[in-house]
Amino acid sequence: MHVAFFLLLGAALARFLLRHPWADRSPWIIALSGALAALYLLGPVLGTRATPRRIAWLVTVVAVWMVLVLLAPSFAWCAVPLFYTGLRTLPPRAALFLVTLLTAFVVFAQVQLAKNGFDPDLVVAPPAVAAIATAVFVHAQRLAERQRALIDDLIRTRRELAATERREGTLAERQRLSMEIHDSLAQGLSSQQMLLQAAERTWDSDPSTARRHVRTAESIAERNLAEARRFVHDLAPADLAEGGGLEEALRALAGRESAAFRVDGAPVPLPERVQSALLRIAQGALANVREHAAAASAALTLTYLDDQVVLDIADDGRGFEPSAGRDGGSGGVRGHGLPAMRVRAQQLGGTLTVESAPGEGTVLSVAIPLEVRS
């Protein structure tokens, strides 16, 4: 529109000078054309909002243009860019009044320029052009408003989605941390409590047994301290952090819990997430055996198959009814035992099954696909 305005202004000035090279009003026409061009250049500096300065500028531009049209009707078609300027700047009613006023001046100018008498086209064409220009502007404005509304909705939706994802991530991290703490620190503290209570009961009657319980509790406390430091570092199990791999970590765990351990099949490299999950499940399962099963023996079996790795934890304890939702034995309902193990397996695309019955021991089996998404 800016380019069109200056082209129309230049064409009108050239037409006037070619037809009236030395007319008395020529200096006024040139001066007013320059003033109108300078004023129009000032418009973008004032912005597009309907501020008092912007409205005063528009009134001045229209007034100079009207004087030019009265002196030289060939400047009439500069009104088309002014249509859009008024429509963008003024409220709807004021903009409609301005468009009507500009159109009237264009009709007046066309009639003045007519050489062959009155022509109906000269009266009909300017209003038609004004109507088309106004309709195009209104349509463009509506499209722009819809686009702005759509962009606002998209931004708001994106923010809500980001907030939801943050909340879900926070909840998932809390759940993961709760499982990590339950399978390591909480189980260790529970074992220490049981050992220290046993030591207190036998302190006077059997000092050597009591001291042995205390030493075992001290060893568990040392492991818990290593786990706590590992939480601070990267939350990886301390046994795995020592670099021996899953087999060595399970063997060390079985040794501490007085359980048997064996590996079946050809070992293959496992992702760190799988190793960590299997070790945590083994820790939780053996803790349940120690606290609830009253078992004489327990065994860990790590089996490598073609498409999955399977970890079995079996004991010959008192057993329990899996449908009752217990961790094992008769210790009562727990909040983070089997559910936490099942969640760990499911997060890696695996499954966890429990086979048990009262008085017949328990076999817990977890199977993880060898190809899991990291």
Side-chain angles (χ1 to χ4, degrees), residues 298-321:
L300 294 178
T301 304
L302 182 65
T303 306
Y304 292 94
L305 302 177
D306 293 337
D307 58 347
Q308 61 183 353
V309 59
V310 180
L311 176 65
D312 297 312
I313 302 97
D315 68 77
D316 59 357
R318 62 168 60 100
F320 69 105
E321 182 59 47

Side-chain angles (χ1 to χ4, degrees), residues 11 29 58 60 78 80 115 136 140 155 158 178 198 206 213 219 264 271 288 301 306 311 315 328 359-360:
I29 298 298
L58 180 60
T60 305
C78 293
V80 176
K115 296 182 178 179
V136 169
I155 293 175
R158 185 174 63 182
S178 69
D206 191 353
H213 289 329
S219 175
D264 292 337
N288 288 337
T301 304
D306 293 337
L311 176 65
D315 68 77
E360 298 183 7

Side-chain angles (χ1 to χ4, degrees), residues 31-321:
L32 288 173
S33 298
L36 184 60
L39 285 171
Y40 195 87
L41 284 173
L42 185 62
V45 178
L46 300 176
T48 59
R49 307 181 73 177
T51 61
R53 293 176 58 188
R54 174 76 176 179
I55 294 175
W57 167 84
L58 180 60
V59 171
T60 305
V61 169
V62 172
V64 173
W65 171 81
M66 291 171 64
V67 174
L68 267 176
V69 172
L70 292 174
L71 295 176
S74 58
F75 286 88
W77 286 109
C78 293
V80 176
L82 295 180
F83 286 163
Y84 287 98
T85 303
L87 289 170
R88 291 182 62 190
T89 303
L90 300 175
R93 291 186 179 180
L96 181 61
F97 172 78
L98 178 62
V99 169
T100 303
L101 178 63
L102 296 177
T103 303
F105 264 76
V106 172
V107 172
F108 166 77
Q110 295 303 303
V111 172
Q112 293 295 318
L113 292 174
K115 296 182 178 179
N116 299 322
F118 178 76
D119 186 348
D121 287 341
L122 301 178
V123 178
V124 175
V129 172
I132 293 173
T134 303
V136 169
F137 176 83
V138 171
H139 181 67
Q141 286 291 95
R142 289 178 178 176
L143 290 179
E145 290 175 0
R146 292 175 185 174
Q147 187 178 25
R148 283 194 295 270
L150 178 60
I151 292 174
D152 291 340
D153 289 340
L154 290 175
I155 293 175
R156 183 170 57 254
T157 302
R158 185 174 63 182
R159 290 174 178 171
E160 293 175 354
L161 179 60
T164 301
E165 290 177 348
R166 285 194 296 270
R167 287 194 298 270
E168 291 178 352
T170 301
L171 292 176
E173 183 66 12
R174 287 178 179 176
Q175 183 183 29
R176 187 176 73 87
L177 288 175
S178 69
M179 291 189 299
E180 294 284 346
I181 294 172
H182 173 271
D183 292 342
S184 57
L185 298 181
Q187 297 285 10
L189 292 172
S190 176
S191 299
Q192 292 175 57
Q193 182 184 27
M194 294 174 60
L195 289 167
L196 292 175
Q197 289 173 349
E200 183 181 12
R201 288 194 299 268
T202 60
W203 192 264
D204 295 328
S205 60
D206 191 353
S208 61
T209 301
R211 284 193 293 271
R212 186 170 64 251
H213 289 329
V214 171
R215 287 194 296 270
T216 304
E218 181 183 6
S219 175
I220 294 175
E222 182 179 357
R223 298 298 307 176
N224 275 11
L225 179 59
E227 288 285 357
R229 288 171 176 169
R230 185 55 52 186
F231 284 147
V232 175
H233 185 259
D234 58 3
L235 294 179
D239 287 325
L240 290 177
E242 293 174 356
L246 179 61
E247 291 82 1
E248 292 301 321
L250 290 175
R251 184 172 288 108
L253 173 64
R256 293 194 301 271
E257 298 291 343
S258 301
F261 174 71
R262 78 170 190 268
V263 178
D264 292 337
V268 296
L270 297 176
E272 291 183 1
R273 288 184 61 201
V274 174
Q275 296 185 51
S276 177
L278 291 176
L279 180 58
R280 292 303 191 197
I281 290 173
Q283 289 173 336
L286 289 178
N288 288 337
V289 172
R290 181 179 63 250
E291 296 179 19
H292 306 300
S297 63
L300 294 178
T301 304
L302 182 65
T303 306
Y304 292 94
L305 302 177
D306 293 337
D307 58 347
Q308 61 183 353
V309 59
V310 180
L311 176 65
D312 297 312
I313 302 97
D315 68 77
D316 59 357
R318 62 168 60 100
F320 69 105
E321 182 59 47

